[in-house]
């Protein structure tokens, strides 16, 4: 095997360059060393590791080079640490190329302490500043010392010697030591200032929390006091504060300025009182006065992570002792929850739209979601539980779990996700030592990132899958934990003397009955609900109390369920309806043992129920008619639509147990209601297909099967009832023919069942008696299927029969033949294109199809006169049937590019060519379109435009019915209903306008095709 091929097998992506480097004099002696090559192959980026190793070797003296390479090939610990760093960090490779002697740090650091702390780091920094580099400016010497320490941290991190939490703690300790060293340099430069004041540097944010990144702003607050105690009665601190300000400002510049040795990191003091507008340094008394009078809620949340790290340790401790009690009283502040909510919204809103999906820190499911959840729970519960008062996220999370505030499984999931996301963030920053929280998009960058995290088989795909999995889990748990304090406050309100009911009557009543504490708690809870999108927070709070109040097991389980369900409701277009519907379902099923157990133990079932209950009106209304259908959500295949044969067997069995026809039809309608819920629920949850077109096909087929099975069962029951009443067999055979969208298998949720009925008297029967029997059966079927009851009605429309409403409801096959032979019009032939037998006698249905095929697929096609007639009727439909005031551009049925446009165009092709093109002999629109393309009757792009418009219009009609609970052919005028339609169609919040624009655009494209093929073709 040639050298390049061997390198490819080891993970090199540029083997030719690698071969050339290994042939260079510095590395040639080790080019065939399989130990070295295997070690390079184990790194995140073998090409980068080899390139950096070659540069370091070139920068060394000959003797040092031999020592380096011999040590690398002979000593596994150094080899793993050095090559691990070089393969993951181009920036640290650059540093070693400038300071090749620093490779020794990777050999010696384990000899004194595998986990160095601030003292060890400070000794290393002092050695570099004052001993090792006397020729360098102090700031440059500090930078070289910092990079040497950083090498050790990165090596331990990349070789798995330390976990991510320990790495972050070491980085924070190194930052603290660096601040102290920079302060010492500033004091050396300005001894008068150092003699005049005491200065404490308090770390904030990630540095304060012992969870710093490789590259991050280091947030600090400065506290200054006079060096000597002031005489009694003297309050002039100006001299000391000015001196401390000079030291602090110089210390910040030492760390933040760019020199020939680069930059360490910016020091950010903007978390100080008054931010950028406030003085850089304040005395302790000035700090306390500000926090007591002026500080905002977010400032106390920030102080949760305050930690003295440099300067006067005694002053730092005094500051921390003074502000800590204020932190744990912050949750008692008025408007605490709205303030926290507003801060969260500002963070999310500040993310550029193009970066939201790549944001590891601030984006949905990112690090901030974990930190925000933990901090909120700390601030709420840490007032009375001191075990929660940790500045470190993972330690606080563990304490919350130990205290029962977060479930063990949830805490473990958050811990795992946080560690993974922090590891991603560290590896991304380590590459160039740049401050970023964005996941790269380049394949090479993603490959290196994935490999650095131990992914080898397909690092890019594995990385994306793991990242998205953890992000989804973080977002889910963030929502769950974020709402938990609301429920805790509701539970506490139950114990208030006046009770929650009285508190909800208004603030004055609550204050009178239970004191202002109860009223403010209610107000805070309502404000929180309003911030989440609940339009009627007082009503929602009453529902919460009804669901979660009390000490019963049912209430306890509801308190477990509701936190996350509130989040799912809030993520819908109508959170209030979702919560109200959940209360109704729970009131009906709450005492049923399996119901709450299902929701508690099956997270997917609980989420599905929440999404369904807040999706609109149709699916919740169907569920509330018989709430036991919730059980479908617990079955993995529970929402898969059932086929016609299975439904007919079930309805036949249920009807067979009924005492009479009304009871039998009622049983069929009950099955229909459940199946409508099954299909609507699956549709709302996006489980009917991987694409909108597939969802339309599946829903149309499912709804047609449900209707057909119901009519079949009702027809059989009514026929048997008539036979039982007369004591004679039915004197005729009956077949029901589906028409329109029903015959095409394309029913929507709001569609009537268009039918015609044909009967055929049995030999020897009286024709009049047979016709009367067929009519009675059909009329009873229609009556019972739309009889007012708890089940949704099934409306049967027979107006497409010959002579319309003026003609008989039922005809014999011979009567149909006679009518079509003598009186049939072109439009009737067009209507018959969608005729299909759906119930009753199959042989009679087949005979009817045989009868009408010559009419709908005429051998001579369409004459010019018939073509003009079709176009004339279509024009009349467009101008006369559009409802007054309707916007034609968004009318899904009759508007330009709507259903009628597409279907009439397809049907014209069927009339013209159906006799000679077998594929056109179908009642389904999309199949006929595909057949037209296959037969060369239509260009693929034209068919695609028509198909997209038809699918879109059908989706909109289904969405309107699902959201409003009643049929409609246009987008709803109500903004909340329009938002629900947009959400169903996959548009994000606030994008309803985009949805309407997209509809008009596709409709315009389809109309252009219609103009070309229907009116001009």
């Amino acid at each position: 095997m040639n050298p390049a091929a061997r390198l490819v097998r080891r993970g090199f992506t540029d083997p030719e360059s690698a071969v050339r480097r290994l042939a260079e004099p510095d590395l040639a002696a080790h080019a065939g060393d399989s130990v070295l090559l295997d070690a390079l192959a184990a790194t995140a980026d073998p090409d980068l590791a080899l390139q950096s190793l070659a540069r370091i070797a070139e920068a060394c003296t000959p003797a040092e080079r031999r020592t380096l390479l011999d040590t690398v090939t002979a000593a596994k610990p150094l080899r793993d640490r050095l090559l691990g760093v070089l393969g993951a960090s181009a920036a640290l490779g650059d540093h070693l190329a400038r300071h090749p002697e620093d490779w020794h740090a990777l050999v010696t650091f384990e000899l004194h302490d595998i986990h160095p702390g601030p003292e060890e780091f400070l000794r290393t920094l002092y050695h570099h500043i004052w001993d090792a580099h006397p020729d360098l400016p102090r700031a440059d010497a500090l930078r070289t010392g910092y990079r040497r320490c950083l090498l050790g941290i990165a090596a331990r991190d990349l070789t798995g010697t330390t976990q991510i939490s320990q790495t972050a703690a070491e980085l924070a300790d190194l930052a603290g030591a660096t601040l102290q060293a920079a302060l010492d340099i500033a004091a050396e430069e300005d001894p008068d200032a150092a003699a005049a004041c005491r200065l404490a540097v308090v770390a904030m944010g990630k540095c304060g929390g012992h969870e710093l990144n490789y590259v991050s702003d280091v947030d600090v607050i400065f506290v200054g006091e006079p060096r000597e105690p002031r005489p009694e009665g003297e309050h002039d601190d100006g001299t000391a504060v000015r001196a401390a300000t000079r030291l602090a400002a110089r210390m910040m510049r030492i760390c933040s300025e760019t020199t020939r040795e680069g930059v360490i990191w910016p020091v950010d003091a903007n978390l100080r009182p008054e931010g950028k507008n406030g003085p850089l340094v304040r005395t302790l008394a000035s700090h306390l006065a500000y926090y007591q009078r002026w500080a905002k809620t977010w400032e106390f949340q920030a102080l949760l992570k305050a930690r003295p790290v440099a300067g006067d340790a005694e002053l730092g401790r005094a500051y921390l002792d003074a502000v800590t009690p204020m932190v744990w009283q912050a949750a008692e502040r008025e408007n605490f929850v709205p303030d926290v909510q507003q801060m969260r919204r500002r963070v999310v809103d500040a993310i550029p739209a193009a970066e939201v999906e790549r944001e590891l820190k601030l984006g949905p499911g990112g690090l901030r979601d974990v930190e925000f959840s933990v901090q909120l729970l700390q601030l709420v519960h840490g007032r009375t539980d001191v075990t929660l008062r940790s500045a470190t996220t993972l330690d606080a999370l563990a304490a919350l779990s130990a205290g029962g505030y977060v479930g063990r499984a949830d805490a473990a999931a958050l811990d795992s996700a946080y560690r993974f996301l922090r590891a991603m963030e560290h590896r991304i920053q380590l590459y160039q030592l740049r401050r970023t929280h964005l996941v790269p998009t380049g394949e090479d960058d993603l490959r290196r990132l994935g490999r650095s995290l131990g992914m080898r088989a397909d690092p890019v795909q594995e990385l994306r899958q793991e990242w998205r999995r953890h992000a989804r889990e973080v977002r889910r748990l963030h929502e769950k934990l974020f709402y938990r304090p609301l429920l805790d406050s509701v539970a506490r309100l139950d114990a208030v003397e006046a009770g929650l009911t009285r508190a909800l009557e208004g603030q004055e009543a609550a204050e009178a009955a239970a004191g202002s504490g109860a009223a403010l708690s209610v107000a805070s809870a309502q404000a929180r609900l309003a911030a989440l999108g609940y339009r009627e927070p007082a009503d929602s709070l009453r529902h919460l109390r009804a669901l979660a109040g009390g000490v019963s097991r049912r209430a306890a389980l509801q308190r477990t369920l509701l936190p996350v369900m509130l989040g799912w409701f809030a993520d819908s277009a109508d959170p209030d309806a979702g919560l109200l519907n959940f209360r109704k379902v729970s009131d009906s099923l709450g005492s049923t043992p399996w119901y709450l157990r299902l929701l508690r133990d099956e997270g997917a079932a609980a989420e599905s129920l929440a999404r369904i209950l807040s999706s609109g009106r149709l699916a919740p209304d169907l569920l509330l008619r018989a709430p036991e259908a919730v059980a479908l959500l617990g079955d993995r295949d529970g929402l898969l639509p059932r086929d016609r044969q299975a439904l007919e067997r079930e309805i036949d069995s249920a009807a067979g147990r009924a005492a009479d026809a009304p009871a039998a039809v009622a049983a069929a309608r009950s099955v229909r209601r459940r199946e409508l819920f099954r299909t609507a629920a699956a549709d709302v949850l996006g489980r009917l297909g991987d694409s909108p077109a597939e969802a339309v096909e599946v829903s149309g087929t499912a709804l047609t099967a449900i209707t057909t099975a119901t009519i079949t069962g009702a027809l059989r029951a009514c026929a048997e009832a008539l036979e039982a009443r007369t004591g004679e067999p039915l004197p005729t055979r009956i077949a029901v023919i589906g028409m329109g969208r029903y015959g095409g298998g394309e029913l929507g949720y709001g569609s009537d069942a268009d039918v015609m009925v044909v009967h055929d008297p049995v030999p020897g029967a009286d024709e009049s008696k047979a016709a009367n029997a067929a009519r009675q059966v059909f009329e009873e079927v229609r009556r019972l299927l739309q009889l007012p009851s708890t089940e949704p009605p099934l409306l049967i429309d027979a107006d497409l029969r010959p002579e319309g409403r003026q003609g008989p409801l039922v005809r014999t096959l011979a009567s149909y033949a006679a009518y079509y032979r003598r009186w049939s019009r072109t439009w009737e032939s067009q209507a018959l294109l969608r005729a299909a037998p759906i119930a009753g006698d199959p042989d009679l249905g087949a005979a009817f199809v045989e009868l009408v095929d010559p009419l709908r697929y005429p051998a001579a096609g369409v004459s010019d006169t018939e073509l003009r007639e079709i176009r004339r009727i279509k024009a009349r439909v467009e101008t006369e049937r559009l409802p007054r005031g309707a916007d034609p551009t968004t009318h899904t049925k009759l508007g330009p590019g709507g259903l009628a446009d597409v279907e009439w165009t397809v049907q014209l092709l069927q009339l013209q060519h159906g006799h000679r093109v077998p594929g056109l002999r179908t009642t389904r629109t999309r199949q006929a379109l595909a057949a037209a393309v296959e037969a060369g009757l239509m260009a693929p792009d034209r068919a695609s435009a028509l198909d997209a418009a038809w699918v879109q219009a059908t989706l909109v009609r289904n969405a309107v019915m699902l959201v409003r609970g009643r049929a409609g052919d246009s987008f709803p005028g109500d903004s909340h209903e329009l938002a629900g339609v947009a959400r169903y169609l996959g548009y994000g919040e606030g994008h309803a306008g985009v949805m309407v624009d997209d509809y008009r655009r596709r409709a315009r494209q389809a109309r252009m095709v219609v103009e070309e093929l229907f009116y001009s073709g």
Side-chain angles (χ1 to χ4, degrees):
M1 185 180 296
N2 65 57
R6 284 197 298 270
L7 293 178
V8 169
R9 292 183 60 185
R10 284 180 164 90
F12 286 80
T13 58
D14 187 2
E16 290 77 12
S17 297
V19 168
R20 287 195 298 272
R21 287 195 183 92
L22 288 169
E24 292 173 359
D26 296 337
L27 297 177
H30 304 276
D33 190 335
S34 61
V35 172
L36 175 62
L37 295 179
D38 289 343
L40 288 168
T43 66
D45 187 339
D47 299 88
L48 176 64
L50 177 59
Q51 177 187 1
S52 297
L53 179 63
R55 292 176 60 207
I56 297 167
E58 183 181 359
C60 289
T61 64
E64 183 75 2
R65 184 181 308 123
R66 284 192 299 273
T67 302
L68 167 66
L69 295 176
D70 290 344
T71 306
V72 165
T73 54
K76 179 173 172 33
L78 171 68
R79 181 169 62 247
D80 292 344
R81 290 192 294 268
L82 177 60
L83 296 184
V85 169
L86 297 182
S89 178
L92 289 177
D94 292 341
H95 171 80
L96 285 169
R98 290 195 308 273
H99 301 280
E101 69 281 359
D102 277 0
W103 69 266
H104 291 283
L106 301 178
V107 180
T108 59
F109 74 82
E110 285 190 333
L111 299 180
H112 56 79
D113 192 348
I114 197 169
H115 296 308
E119 296 79 10
E120 288 79 15
F121 286 133
L122 194 57
R123 281 198 297 270
T124 299
L125 296 178
Y126 281 168
H127 172 72
H128 274 259
I129 295 168
W130 279 284
D131 300 326
H133 301 286
D135 54 326
L136 285 179
R138 298 281 195 244
D140 284 349
L142 174 61
R143 280 156 174 72
T144 61
Y146 177 83
R147 292 285 191 275
R148 187 179 179 99
C149 293
L150 199 62
L151 274 170
I153 294 174
R156 289 187 289 275
D157 178 15
L158 292 164
T159 56
T161 305
T162 56
Q163 296 184 351
I164 190 68
S165 56
Q166 179 62 33
T167 299
E170 289 184 14
L171 288 167
D173 285 340
L174 175 56
T178 304
L179 291 171
Q180 180 63 61
L183 184 59
D184 291 339
I185 293 172
E188 181 186 58
E189 295 175 354
D190 192 347
D192 292 340
C197 68
R198 299 162 62 206
L199 177 64
V201 183
V202 179
M204 305 287 285
K206 289 188 177 298
C207 185
H210 255 117
E211 49 193 14
L212 196 62
N213 303 327
Y214 276 101
V215 186
S216 176
D217 291 354
V218 173
D219 298 305
V220 299
I221 286 177
F222 296 108
V223 188
E225 294 285 347
R227 173 67 65 181
E228 300 297 332
R230 294 169 296 189
E232 187 174 348
E234 183 179 321
H235 301 288
D236 182 16
D237 298 320
T239 300
V241 169
R242 286 191 293 273
T245 300
R246 294 203 305 274
L247 289 176
R250 178 55 183 151
M251 184 206 79
M252 292 175 67
R253 288 195 300 274
I254 289 171
C255 295
S256 305
E257 287 177 344
T258 301
T259 73
R260 66 180 183 178
E261 289 294 335
V263 63
I264 302 178
W265 20 248
V267 179
D268 189 341
N270 290 336
L271 292 178
R272 66 185 184 270
E274 300 180 78
K276 293 180 180 179
N277 298 319
L280 184 63
V281 179
R282 289 177 182 259
T283 62
L284 178 57
S286 177
H287 274 285
L288 296 181
Y290 173 84
Y291 289 127
Q292 289 165 353
R293 298 187 62 186
W294 309 111
K296 298 177 181 177
T297 300
W298 69 264
E299 293 178 276
F300 292 107
Q301 186 171 353
L303 284 171
L304 193 153
K305 292 187 176 294
R307 178 174 66 93
V309 294
D312 193 289
E314 182 180 352
L315 180 57
R317 284 193 298 272
Y319 172 86
L320 196 61
D321 291 343
V323 300
T324 296
M326 300 182 189
V327 172
W328 302 112
Q329 295 166 4
E332 300 172 4
R333 292 164 60 92
E334 187 174 356
N335 296 321
F336 166 73
V337 171
D339 286 348
V340 175
Q341 285 284 350
Q342 182 60 34
M343 181 174 68
R344 178 173 179 265
R345 283 195 295 270
R346 283 200 301 267
V347 169
V348 174
D349 292 344
I351 306 173
E355 297 179 357
V356 170
E357 295 299 321
R358 299 170 53 210
E359 251 287 354
L360 271 179
K361 179 180 179 182
L362 304 178
L367 293 162
R368 183 58 60 86
D369 273 356
V370 181
E371 294 159 358
F372 190 91
S373 301
V374 169
Q375 290 168 22
L376 184 59
L377 292 176
Q378 282 183 279
L379 291 170
V380 170
H381 301 294
R383 293 172 292 172
T384 55
D385 190 343
V386 296
T387 66
L388 306 181
R389 299 181 180 183
S390 171
T392 305
T393 299
L394 290 178
D395 290 346
L397 179 59
L400 287 165
S401 177
Y405 303 101
V406 178
R408 288 189 294 271
D410 291 347
L414 275 180
D415 182 279
S416 175
Y418 190 73
R419 291 176 186 275
F420 180 82
L421 295 175
R422 286 301 305 274
M424 276 187 71
E425 181 185 44
H426 277 201
R427 300 296 196 273
I428 292 169
Q429 294 181 347
L430 189 59
Y431 177 56
Q432 292 290 0
L433 287 181
R434 291 177 182 168
R435 182 177 181 270
T436 180
H437 309 288
L438 295 178
V439 178
T441 57
E443 289 290 311
D444 290 342
D445 291 328
L446 291 171
R447 179 177 181 272
R448 180 183 60 254
L449 180 57
R451 285 173 60 89
S452 75
L453 295 170
M455 301 168 184
R456 288 293 188 268
D458 186 354
V460 175
Q461 186 62 24
E462 289 179 55
L463 175 67
R464 286 174 173 151
Q465 289 177 349
E466 280 295 286
W467 171 34
R468 293 306 180 193
R469 180 178 69 83
H470 283 300
R472 284 194 300 270
E473 187 71 356
V474 165
R475 190 60 182 174
R476 181 183 72 82
L477 292 174
H478 165 73
E479 292 175 352
K480 176 178 180 179
L481 299 178
F482 180 75
Y483 304 118
R484 190 181 297 279
L486 172 61
L487 293 179
D488 288 342
S489 69
V490 172
R492 287 196 301 271
L493 285 170
D494 242 6
V496 177
E497 184 178 348
L500 181 60
T501 304
R502 187 175 299 173
L504 285 166
E505 293 173 358
Q507 184 169 342
E508 293 181 2
E511 290 176 345
S516 61
L520 288 174
S521 296
V522 171
S524 295
Q526 291 181 0
R528 188 182 197 113
L529 285 165
L532 295 173
Y534 290 81
R535 300 194 299 276
E536 300 293 339
D539 291 343
S540 297
L541 204 56
R542 279 196 289 272
H543 300 323
L544 290 177
R545 180 181 180 274
L547 288 163
V551 295
S552 67
R553 179 169 178 78
R554 170 182 169 182
L557 284 173
Q558 291 282 21
R559 285 193 291 271
T560 300
L561 290 169
L562 277 166
V564 68
M565 298 200 76
L566 278 175
W568 287 324
F569 294 145
D571 193 36
S572 73
D574 196 348
D576 301 79
L579 181 56
L580 173 60
N581 290 332
F582 181 65
R583 179 181 175 183
K584 290 178 179 178
V585 172
S586 294
D587 286 347
S588 297
L589 297 177
S591 59
T592 307
W594 59 264
Y595 167 63
L596 290 175
R597 186 168 62 245
L598 167 69
L599 299 185
R600 181 197 65 192
D601 297 339
E602 298 289 341
E607 181 177 4
S608 295
L609 179 62
R611 303 294 187 200
I612 291 165
L613 293 178
S614 55
S615 65
R617 294 187 179 178
L618 180 62
D621 285 351
L622 291 168
L623 179 61
L624 291 171
R625 293 172 188 263
E628 64 274 6
V630 168
L632 295 175
L633 306 180
D635 184 349
R636 185 182 64 178
D637 299 327
L639 295 184
L640 291 178
R642 301 170 67 200
D643 61 38
R644 171 182 167 178
Q645 289 73 26
L647 294 175
E648 287 184 0
R649 286 194 298 270
E650 181 180 1
I651 289 175
D652 188 44
S653 175
R657 296 189 296 270
D660 53 23
V665 175
R669 290 177 65 179
S670 177
V671 173
R672 174 176 178 263
R673 183 257 313 138
R674 186 199 64 213
E675 295 306 314
L676 286 175
F677 169 74
R678 189 197 305 271
T679 303
D683 202 351
V684 164
L685 297 173
R687 298 185 187 176
L688 290 185
D690 296 330
S691 67
E694 185 179 355
V696 163
E697 289 285 331
V698 173
S699 67
T701 300
L703 294 170
T704 301
I706 295 167
T707 299
T708 298
T710 306
I711 292 176
T712 299
L715 183 66
R716 183 180 296 115
C718 292
E720 291 174 353
L722 181 59
E723 289 177 338
R725 189 165 63 250
T726 62
E728 298 177 357
L730 202 65
T732 189
R733 297 183 299 160
I734 301 174
V736 181
I737 310 300
M739 301 291 288
R741 298 182 74 81
Y742 183 25
E746 298 166 348
L747 283 180
Y749 295 103
S751 300
D752 295 344
D754 292 313
V755 302
M756 295 195 301
V757 182
V758 58
H759 80 102
D760 184 36
V762 298
D766 180 84
E767 291 194 6
S768 176
K769 186 177 179 180
N772 186 52
R775 180 181 53 77
Q776 287 185 58
V777 169
F778 179 64
E779 286 182 339
E780 185 69 355
V781 168
R782 279 214 304 183
R783 185 183 73 83
L784 292 177
L785 286 177
Q786 62 188 38
L787 194 69
S789 76
T790 58
E791 307 298 349
L794 173 53
L795 302 179
I796 296 181
D797 188 339
D799 290 350
L800 288 176
R801 64 186 185 270
E803 302 177 81
R805 295 181 182 180
Q806 307 306 317
L809 273 175
V810 297
R811 288 176 182 264
T812 64
L813 191 63
S815 176
Y816 275 107
Y819 174 86
Y820 288 133
R821 185 171 58 252
R822 298 184 61 190
W823 308 109
S824 178
R825 304 278 299 275
T826 304
W827 71 264
E828 290 179 292
S829 295
Q830 183 178 349
L832 287 169
L833 285 166
R834 311 195 79 178
I838 52 95
D841 189 280
D843 293 335
L844 183 57
F848 180 87
V849 169
E850 186 178 356
L851 168 68
V852 300
D853 270 353
L855 281 81
R856 58 183 177 176
Y857 309 126
V862 177
S863 68
D864 290 343
T865 301
E866 291 169 330
L867 180 58
R868 285 194 297 270
E869 178 67 7
I870 292 172
R871 289 172 174 169
R872 183 186 65 80
I873 295 175
K874 176 66 169 66
R876 284 188 59 191
V877 168
E878 292 180 7
T879 57
E880 297 177 8
R881 293 192 183 179
L882 192 71
R884 180 174 298 177
D887 180 356
T889 66
T890 57
H891 198 277
T892 59
K893 183 175 182 180
L894 302 177
L899 294 171
D901 263 3
V902 177
E903 291 169 1
W904 281 60
T905 302
V906 171
Q907 289 160 15
L908 178 57
L909 290 173
Q910 290 179 291
L911 289 168
Q912 291 173 321
H913 307 285
H915 179 73
R916 65 178 183 83
V917 180
L920 290 175
R921 298 173 206 162
T922 174
T923 61
R924 290 180 173 253
T925 303
R926 299 187 70 231
Q927 282 85 335
L929 262 178
V933 172
E934 186 176 354
L937 302 174
M938 186 186 303
D941 61 329
R942 307 293 198 276
S944 178
L946 293 179
D947 184 75
W950 189 90
V951 168
Q952 176 182 243
T954 304
L955 283 171
V956 171
R957 296 180 91 203
N958 281 347
V960 170
M961 184 65 185
L962 286 167
V963 171
R964 300 173 65 198
R966 61 184 189 275
D969 292 318
S970 295
F971 290 102
D974 180 84
S975 60
H976 295 293
E977 292 178 346
L978 187 64
V981 171
R983 191 173 293 271
Y984 167 82
L985 294 176
Y987 291 84
E989 185 176 355
H991 288 79
V994 177
M995 169 188 69
V996 176
D997 289 343
D998 284 350
Y999 176 86
R1000 289 184 171 127
R1001 175 175 53 79
R1002 291 195 183 97
R1004 283 195 302 270
Q1005 293 170 348
R1007 180 64 178 191
M1008 292 171 62
V1009 177
V1010 172
E1011 294 281 356
E1012 175 187 343
L1013 298 180
F1014 184 84
Y1015 287 109
S1016 302

